[in-house]
Amino acid sequence: MNIDNRPHTPEKWRFRFVYGIALLLFFIAGGRLFYLTAVDNAFLKNQGEIRAVRTEAIPATRGMILDRRGEPLAVSTPTWTIIANPRVLWNVPVDVEKKTGPEEEIKRLAEVMGVGRAWLQERFEANKSRSFMYLRRQIPPTEADSIMAANVVGVSKTKEYKRFYPAGEVAAHVVGFTNIDDKGQEGIELAFDTALEGVSGRRSFVKDLSGNIISGIGVDQTERPGENIELSIDLRLQYLAYRELKAAVTEHRATSASAVILDVKTGEILAMVNQPSYNPNDRAVLEYEDLRNRAVIDLFEPGSTMKPFTVSAALMSGQYTTETKIDTSPGHMRFGRFTIRDARNYGVIDFEELLIKSSNVGASKIALSLPQDAVWNMDYELGMGSPVGIGFPGEASGVLPSHPKWHPSEIATLSYGYGLSVSTLQLAQAYMALGNGGYRVPVTIFKQDVPAQGKQIIPNKVAQDVVEMLEAVVQKGSGRTAQIPGYRVAGKTGTVHKVGSKGYEYDQYIALFAGLAPASDPRLAMVVMINDPKGREYYGGEVAAPVFSRVMEGALTTLNIYPDLPEGLREVRISPKKPPYQVVHGG
């Protein structure tokens, strides 16, 4: 029988019908897919924007910067940042009746942000093809909520952290600041940025058209907060030193100034202040010069504050004792066209009188009698010509010239603090070693539980003898304005002519005072440098020593360091308005 002529059964017709329907649906789906991908792919892109898996960074909290007592110097506070997706906003359908569309969205956003509509629309147009744009950064939660309440398409918020500096301008040069992206720009913030910033985390989620999170997928990586850094700075002493230095700069109409206080035993920096300063919390108007941490960057010739180290080198040589007499007559020395002068002819003087009267001739004669590199070696061992090494950006190394063969005039000028350049911190480091029995420990900006290992630079007996001589300078000489009721003080003034384009400027000065207290067992070393005082007073004893006195008195009492003057002398204080003699290239 012919199979083809057999009647079709109902089961075969049903099979062919279902098969045909399936084949038709397949072609329809395939055709639609081809149309969307090859012809009208905007739909799929739009849907990808509407429902998209996103990966977002979880910001890590930046570590705090603290003073030695745990007082905050830099902290991070959570804020909100408003962001936008311009590409999504420009895809909003235009509906005149419902007042929807990109321009309507921008208009509403401009109103809640309080900005010009034209300006905002120009920004969106410039970023039309982008999917990310900042609108407002690091704003308070209330302001962020008011913007988000407008429900503008493509606008969302994300958490960021903003740095705040409780001490403001007082500790600005030590702490520094960060930029809006929380990256260190100056000071500790820059020097230890990696440790402070921590590690950001990551999380994945699905967002809708408006940037709202539809569902969270999970945390891919947990954030790790930055490390806290504990400094050696004592904020109480920092405030005190800053206040007095600022007052002195104002009173004497000085160009700038710096001051450093060191713990003699540990090498810790307890205070480091500069003028002018700036407020790191308000950097709308910021001058580059204000950013300078002058205590570690600015260099100057230290003048007569170096004479104690020339005396130290002489005593260490074995050629001299504290009783040795030096004939400074006739009060000047000539090297070709170059003449070294004292304020007057002091005649025959001993080492203590040399420091009290700040004799350039006496210091020169001593240096010239020693091996030619004796004074240079002393300065080098004390850290001159090398960075102190506290890790600050731009820390200066200073200038300590070295010559294969020294001219007598070069040895002479080096002996009384000319021909080399130091920073305020370097000079404080040298006096710290003198007060620590000749033992130089590394200077540090971090709190120390155990003092670091150091090096004996000056024999203990020599260091003690020189400190006693410096105490006489404060009792009888140009350092009398550095006296402190109840305490024995040792120190040396310096009044240095500034170097100009054509040599020394004889109407511009740097006023210095470097000292130790209490002199019986020094605990603190301090250097005050005031640059270019423009008033009638410009000597170190008139301008810098009084600052030392006021700051050191407060520091000693704040740290509960007991007075070392005998009971009957504790109220005695001599503070002449002017030093008892003038100094030419001296203290």
Side-chain angles (χ1 to χ4, degrees):
M1 183 169 44
N2 190 345
I3 297 177
D4 295 332
N5 293 328
R6 287 183 300 175
H8 294 289
T9 61
E11 290 78 4
K12 290 184 178 180
W13 279 109
R14 284 196 296 268
F15 172 77
R16 289 177 180 178
F17 176 77
V18 172
Y19 183 79
I21 293 296
L23 192 61
L24 178 63
L25 291 175
F26 174 78
F27 280 112
I28 290 173
R32 180 62 176 168
L33 181 62
F34 175 78
Y35 175 78
L36 290 175
T37 55
V39 180
D40 186 15
N41 59 6
F43 175 80
L44 292 179
K45 288 184 177 181
N46 188 51
Q47 290 300 309
E49 292 287 350
I50 294 174
R51 298 285 189 273
V53 176
R54 306 289 187 186
T55 300
E56 183 181 70
I58 305 173
T61 308
R62 193 172 177 86
M64 292 192 295
I65 300 176
L66 310 168
D67 89 330
R68 66 183 303 107
R69 298 167 57 247
E71 292 291 328
L73 300 176
V75 295
S76 292
T77 56
T79 60
W80 290 102
T81 288
I82 306 300
I83 60 177
N85 188 330
R87 191 160 54 183
V88 168
L89 183 139
W90 286 108
N91 284 327
V92 175
V94 177
D95 189 324
V96 178
E97 292 183 1
K98 294 181 179 180
K99 293 184 178 181
T100 62
E103 293 187 359
E104 289 297 329
E105 297 292 318
I106 292 172
K107 178 183 176 181
R108 194 161 74 254
L109 181 60
E111 289 175 355
V112 296
M113 288 180 61
V115 298
R117 175 184 174 182
W119 173 83
L120 187 59
Q121 183 161 337
E122 186 179 337
R123 282 199 65 198
F124 272 99
E125 287 178 347
N127 294 277
K128 203 169 187 176
S129 61
R130 299 180 60 188
S131 59
F132 179 87
M133 182 177 78
Y134 283 116
L135 290 175
R136 285 275 173 83
R137 297 197 67 179
Q138 300 180 353
I139 59 176
T142 53
E143 186 178 347
D145 290 342
S146 67
I147 294 174
M148 294 305 300
N151 293 319
V152 178
V153 174
V155 174
S156 60
K157 67 178 182 179
T158 185
K159 181 183 281 189
E160 285 191 317
Y161 290 95
K162 184 177 182 180
R163 209 64 163 159
F164 176 66
Y165 302 96
E169 63 185 63
V170 172
H173 292 109
V174 175
V175 179
F177 61 87
T178 60
N179 62 13
I180 197 167
D181 293 317
D182 225 16
K183 296 292 185 181
Q185 301 298 295
E186 294 287 341
I188 292 293
E189 293 277 34
L190 173 59
F192 300 94
D193 184 58
T194 302
L196 287 165
E197 68 178 353
V199 179
S200 297
R202 291 194 312 272
R203 60 180 175 181
S204 299
F205 48 84
V206 179
K207 275 188 174 182
D208 65 9
L209 179 66
S210 298
N212 299 313
I213 296 176
I214 297 172
S215 62
I217 297 176
V219 175
D220 304 318
Q221 178 178 314
T222 305
E223 76 276 16
R224 190 182 74 219
E227 299 175 22
N228 293 339
I229 291 181
E230 191 173 23
L231 302 183
S232 59
I233 296 293
D234 189 320
L235 192 53
R236 299 170 300 177
L237 274 57
Q238 186 80 5
Y239 270 115
L240 178 62
Y242 183 83
R243 181 190 69 194
E244 295 298 337
L245 192 69
K246 186 174 184 178
V249 166
T250 301
E251 178 185 355
H252 298 287
R253 295 183 288 121
T255 301
S256 61
S258 60
V260 173
I261 302 176
L262 299 181
D263 186 310
V264 166
K265 307 299 182 184
T266 65
E268 294 170 298
I269 302 173
L270 302 180
M272 182 162 59
V273 296
N274 300 279
Q275 278 293 305
S277 188
Y278 65 96
N279 184 356
N281 297 308
D282 181 14
R283 302 194 294 276
V285 179
L286 197 62
E287 298 291 336
Y288 172 76
E289 283 296 307
D290 296 347
L291 301 179
R292 297 173 63 84
N293 187 348
R294 299 175 184 276
V296 299
I297 294 176
D298 285 7
L299 299 176
F300 54 88
E301 290 182 306
S304 294
T305 57
M306 294 301 292
K307 288 173 183 171
F309 306 111
T310 299
V311 169
S312 299
L315 294 176
M316 287 172 60
S317 71
Q319 297 176 224
Y320 296 91
T321 69
T322 55
E323 305 300 322
T324 302
K325 303 293 184 179
I326 307 295
D327 187 358
T328 64
S329 299
H332 59 82
M333 294 176 66
R334 179 174 290 276
F335 298 92
R337 296 182 179 181
F338 177 60
T339 302
I340 295 173
R341 301 180 185 277
D342 284 338
R344 62 180 178 84
N345 182 5
Y346 297 124
V348 179
I349 57 176
D350 60 23
F351 277 22
E352 183 176 288
E353 291 175 302
L354 184 153
L355 293 177
I356 291 173
K357 300 180 185 300
S358 200
S359 172
N360 296 332
V361 174
S364 299
K365 286 191 171 184
I366 290 174
L368 289 168
S369 69
L370 300 174
Q372 67 172 8
D373 58 352
V375 174
W376 185 93
N377 284 337
M378 171 60 65
D379 294 346
Y380 176 79
E381 290 293 335
L382 290 168
M384 309 303 173
S386 303
V388 176
I390 61 172
F392 260 70
E395 182 183 340
S397 60
V399 177
L400 182 62
S402 178
H403 305 289
K405 186 174 182 181
W406 289 80
H407 189 276
S409 64
E410 294 169 334
I411 296 174
T413 53
L414 193 66
S415 74
Y416 57 86
Y418 278 77
L420 77 161
S421 296
V422 303
S423 68
T424 305
L425 183 60
Q426 285 178 316
L427 189 57
Q429 175 183 237
Y431 272 76
M432 176 190 71
L434 199 59
N436 196 25
Y439 194 76
R440 175 187 162 191
V441 295
V443 175
T444 179
I445 192 67
F446 300 109
K447 183 179 179 181
Q448 299 293 299
D449 295 323
V450 179
Q453 292 295 319
K455 180 182 179 181
Q456 190 83 40
I457 304 299
I458 304 171
N460 184 271
K461 178 64 168 62
V462 171
Q464 288 181 352
D465 288 341
V466 174
V467 169
E468 288 181 9
M469 296 178 199
L470 292 177
E471 189 176 356
V473 173
V474 175
Q475 292 172 347
K476 308 172 188 177
S478 59
R480 283 182 282 183
T481 51
Q483 293 181 19
I484 301 172
Y487 294 90
R488 293 166 55 186
V489 177
K492 185 73 185 75
T493 59
T495 308
V496 185
H497 288 286
K498 292 188 66 175
V499 178
S501 58
K502 297 181 180 180
Y504 289 106
E505 301 287 348
Y506 284 88
D507 59 349
Q508 294 182 20
Y509 302 88
I510 292 175
L512 295 164
F513 186 84
L516 302 160
S520 59
D521 181 18
R523 291 283 304 279
L524 302 177
M526 181 178 181
V527 172
V528 179
M529 185 280 288
I530 298 182
N531 176 33
D532 194 20
K534 298 179 181 64
R536 290 183 299 175
E537 298 173 334
Y538 55 84
Y539 289 109
E542 298 173 314
V543 177
V547 177
F548 174 94
S549 174
R550 292 190 292 268
V551 175
M552 188 62 78
E553 181 178 4
L556 292 168
T557 54
T558 297
L559 298 177
N560 296 316
I561 298 175
Y562 197 73
D564 61 340
L565 265 178
E567 288 286 345
L569 299 176
R570 287 185 182 174
E571 300 304 319
V572 175
R573 190 177 188 188
I574 304 172
S575 300
K577 189 66 177 175
K578 292 183 179 293
Y581 49 85
Q582 289 191 339
V583 180
V584 179
H585 282 204

